[in-house]
Amino acid sequence: MSGEGRRHEASPTDRPGLIAVSYVIFRNGPSVLLQRRGTTGYLDGFWATAAAGHVEAGESAVGCAVRETQEELGLTVGADQLAPLTTLHRKDPGRPDRVDFFFLCTGWTGQPELQESERATDLHWFPLAALPTLMVPHERMVFEALSQDAVTPLLTLGFSQDTGTGDAALTC
């Protein structure tokens, strides 16, 4: 039998890297909590989701969201207080592809306070209808969809084969 029609099995070294990140959107009525990025080396000075971070080896996306909320804001949230909002698969030129898990949180214990002053310089509630101009582009895409009740379970950004669903002409 020839190899025609057979699926190519890629070895692990042939597969591109994929970085997983969890984001927690804190909503209080019509407002969302954002932090201004500090000296992170990526879009410093831009407003961003209040709690977000890389999923660590052996950690679930939900576990990461719970951990990052405590580390960045000093808040306690349970997994049952995080509602999956959307997943964004994106391609950034010159960077590894990413899969971003966005969760919506409307209940928590504690008062949000910056815990990592070197990584974030401000924390502020913004109306969804009046987001700051200087905002991380791929995160803005999700917040704008949320403000229009147009969030879909899966969004993509930056892939040439996208049909337009959830894909914007943004480069991050």
Side-chain angles (χ1 to χ4, degrees):
M1 177 174 185
S2 76
E4 272 185 70
R6 292 179 60 196
R7 189 175 139 194
H8 170 72
E9 295 295 326
S11 73
T13 57
D14 292 338
R15 293 188 179 116
L18 185 66
I19 296 174
V21 182
S22 288
Y23 297 78
V24 182
I25 296 175
F26 292 88
R27 188 163 185 182
N28 187 1
S31 297
V32 291
L33 187 63
L34 301 178
Q35 66 167 282
R36 188 185 314 234
R37 298 179 62 81
T39 54
T40 66
Y42 179 72
L43 298 178
D44 294 339
F46 281 60
W47 288 94
T49 306
H54 294 107
V55 178
E56 296 178 356
E59 183 178 46
S60 71
V62 172
C64 175
V66 169
R67 175 181 54 78
E68 289 291 345
T69 296
Q70 177 64 46
E71 289 178 2
E72 294 188 9
L73 301 174
L75 297 175
T76 301
V77 298
D80 61 338
Q81 293 174 297
L82 298 171
L85 181 64
T86 190
T87 299
L88 172 62
H89 186 195
R90 63 186 167 98
K91 183 174 202 61
D92 285 345
R95 300 174 59 130
D97 292 357
R98 294 182 181 244
V99 61
D100 300 326
F101 300 97
F102 285 84
F103 297 93
L104 187 60
C105 184
T106 55
W108 54 86
T109 302
Q111 289 293 94
E113 294 180 15
L114 290 176
Q115 304 295 305
E116 300 175 322
S117 59
E118 71 284 354
R119 300 181 60 83
T121 61
D122 198 3
L123 193 62
H124 187 76
W125 290 97
F126 288 92
L128 263 174
L131 295 170
T133 303
L134 201 58
M135 190 169 177
V136 175
H138 69 275
E139 295 180 35
R140 174 182 288 285
M141 183 175 100
V142 173
F143 280 94
E144 287 178 349
L146 180 62
S147 74
Q148 299 165 10
D149 291 323
V151 177
T152 59
L154 178 64
L155 299 170
T156 59
L157 179 64
F159 293 92
S160 60
Q161 70 272 24
D162 286 333
T163 60
T165 304
D167 193 44
L170 297 177
T171 54
C172 306

